[in-house]
Amino acid sequence: MDDFLIIGGGIAGASTAGRLAALGRVTLLESEPALGYHASGRSAALFEATYGKPSTVALNRASHDFHATADGGVLSPRGLMLVGTAEEEDVFLREAPLMEMVRITVEEAREIVPILNPATVAFTAVHDAAWDLDTDRLIQHFARLARGNGQVVTNAPVSAIERTPGGWRVRAAEHDYEAKVLVNAAGAWADAVAGMAGVAPVGLTPLRRSMARIPAPGGHDVSRWPMMLGAGETWYAKPDAGKLLVSPADEDPVDPHDAWADDMVLAEGLARYEDRVTEPVTRLETSWAGLRTFAPDRALVLGPDPTEPAFVWSAGQGGYGFQTAPAASALVAALVSGAAPELPPEVVAALRPDRFR
Ligand SMILES: Cc1cc2nc3c(=O)[nH]c(=O)nc-3n(C[C@H](O)[C@H](O)[C@H](O)COP(=O)(O)OP(=O)(O)OC[C@H]3O[C@@H](n4cnc5c(N)ncnc54)[C@H](O)[C@@H]3O)c2cc1C
């Protein structure tokens, strides 16, 4: 019998398995043929410490040093620019200080991103403290730690979970796996996994977010441009390997599924982006969507279930799963082992599943 069975091979499951491997033998079970197939393979790969609720911001900040150093570091400089129209003045003025951004004039902003449209953009602010995050390297780093004291099994959709006197028995692809503690890191499917184990759901909602990749606008070298974020998170655009990713920043509630972009939502989002720039979108190279899964209060759900302490949640990562992963997984390991968490008690309380019971 293993010590820990982790269901889900996205960043939540991989990072938790990696941390728990220091405490006992782990088995990670993932439905798909590869790790990071769902939300974790579709992100914008940004680390922005100010993004999210206070408990998320605490996780972001506590994760920074790990990201900066693990495997030689998974961060590279990007920067962030907040962009607002005249109609968005109120939201821009509210968000810019919260995000610790420095106001610059639109003319100054156009020296950084020459395609900004001075006819529509009225407010701009920037900061350097935002980084591209190498998401694949981060998943593989944690998966290696997990394999160091256990196994990572793909093509293993968990179809039944049974309580045993010593822990849990889990059925996946014709095999049974047993462990003392079960970790639910099933992303959009985490409430369904809880249901299989006879544990009450926490009320997770998957929200679809779409993305398009377009050629570099006007043939510009976009490599040093910051990520541009529309005030009120109504769109964003981020350089990616010489191209530009543009997202409508949509949040449409959906059932858990293998998500794809909605053409109409994408077109409306691209129109918002196009309105703020001088170069038209000439071509859409590809598009995709992923599910950002949120608890009702939009904070992560981390730790043992109060009604069933051998059932541990690592869910509700929303739009922050990568940037929070080092601290979130460390917190889960601390709560499972009884060690003192490094985060302040009020942050831990805001993240624990106890808050829903
Ligand atoms: C468009 C977009 C942009 C984003 N941008 C960022 C960003 O810039 N920075 C950031 O930090 N985050 C970002 N995110 C959020 C981040 O991608 C997610 O928070 C994170 O990937 C969630 O990880 P996860 O492991 O919880 O979920 P997933 O990656 O979805 O993993 C859950 C896994 O569980 C598996 N599973 C489910 N049920 C079972 C079962 N019964 N048996 C076995 N396996 C099962 C699934 O197959 C899946 O692989 C973004 C997300 C999207 C969609």
Side-chain angles (χ1 to χ4, degrees), residues 23 30 48 64 90 115 130 137 154 175 196 231 269 286 300 321 350:
L23 301 173
E30 165 55 46
E48 163 58 48
H64 175 269
D90 287 351
I115 64 165
R137 251 181 57 224
T154 52
H175 292 279
M196 264 193 255
T286 179
L300 276 70

Side-chain angles (χ1 to χ4, degrees), residues 323-355:
Q323 53 185 25
T324 55
S329 56
L331 174 59
V332 170
L335 293 173
V336 165
S337 68
E342 287 181 14
L343 293 159
E346 67 277 12
V347 173
V348 177
L351 296 165
R352 289 183 75 123
D354 313 36
R355 69 190 195 272

Side-chain angles (χ1 to χ4, degrees), residues 71-85:
D71 259 351
V74 296
L75 302 180
S76 47
R78 174 54 57 207
L80 187 67
M81 179 183 284
L82 188 65
V83 176
T85 61

Side-chain angles (χ1 to χ4, degrees), residues 7-14 29-32 34-47 51 133 156-159 185-190 193 196 207-211 227 236 238 247 288-293 314-324:
I7 301 178
I11 184 58
L29 300 174
E30 165 55 46
S31 290
E32 303 291 348
L35 300 181
Y37 175 87
H38 287 287
S40 299
R42 307 171 192 204
S43 90
L46 190 78
F47 179 94
Y51 187 44
L133 201 160
V158 170
S159 52
W189 293 266
V193 163
M196 264 193 255
L207 303 178
R208 186 189 51 217
R209 177 154 292 188
S210 314
M211 196 88 89
M227 172 155 156
Y236 64 77
K238 182 176 187 273
S247 173
W288 66 88
L291 305 182
R292 299 157 82 244
T293 298
S314 178
Q317 277 76 3
Y320 331 101
F322 283 100
Q323 53 185 25
T324 55

Side-chain angles (χ1 to χ4, degrees), residues 78 113-115 212-225 228 237-246 270 273-274 277-286:
R78 174 54 57 207
V113 181
I115 64 165
R213 185 182 282 118
I214 62 171
H220 284 277
D221 174 5
V222 301
S223 59
R224 298 235 170 115
W225 289 5
M228 289 169 272
K238 182 176 187 273
D240 181 61
K243 319 274 178 173
L244 209 56
L245 302 181
V246 181
L270 284 167
Y273 155 81
E274 254 184 326
V277 298
T278 51
E279 295 288 342
V281 175
T282 51
R283 193 156 52 85
L284 218 162
E285 293 197 340
T286 179

